[in-house]
């Protein structure tokens, strides 16, 4: 799988966040599983793995709000 070949985020990319702007609320955040069914936290913007736990308390300068927040869950149905 492609995401398994991605490396970790370089040092200094993530910075501490004490607001709702954390990796888990970013449009680029995702999670996948590897061949051994371990969960990998990934950033699709950086094409890199996020260290365990950092997705809750960190963000990068490229943080983007999730589309669901900006346009709603099902805007075509409205």
């Amino acid at each position: 799988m492609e995401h398994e070949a991605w490396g970790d985020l370089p040092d200094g990319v993530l910075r501490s966040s004490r607001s709702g702007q954390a990796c888990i609320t970013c449009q680029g955040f995702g999670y996948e599983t590897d061949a051994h069914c371990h969960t990998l936290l990934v950033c699709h913007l950086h094409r890199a793995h996020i260290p365990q736990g950092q997705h809750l308390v960190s963000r990068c300068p490229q943080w983007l709000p999730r589309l669901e927040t900006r346009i709603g869950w099902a805007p075509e149905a409205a």
Side-chain angles (χ1 to χ4, degrees):
M1 297 196 170
E2 179 184 345
H3 58 271
E4 288 184 41
W6 294 355
D8 291 333
L9 280 170
D11 290 339
V13 171
L14 293 178
R15 60 182 185 216
S16 181
S17 175
R18 296 193 309 180
S19 70
Q21 294 181 347
C23 292
I24 196 167
T25 62
C26 179
Q27 182 62 33
F29 175 77
Y31 58 92
E32 309 289 341
T33 55
D34 64 11
H36 304 289
C37 296
H38 297 128
T39 302
L40 302 173
L41 305 172
V42 296
C43 175
H44 294 285
L45 299 174
H46 291 283
R47 299 179 61 88
H49 297 138
I50 301 169
Q52 287 288 338
Q54 293 302 305
H55 67 295
L56 300 172
V57 296
S58 302
R59 73 179 186 103
C60 79
Q62 294 174 329
W63 181 89
L64 295 169
R66 296 194 62 87
L67 286 176
E68 297 89 358
T69 303
R70 286 190 285 165
I71 61 173
W73 288 101
E76 65 278 353

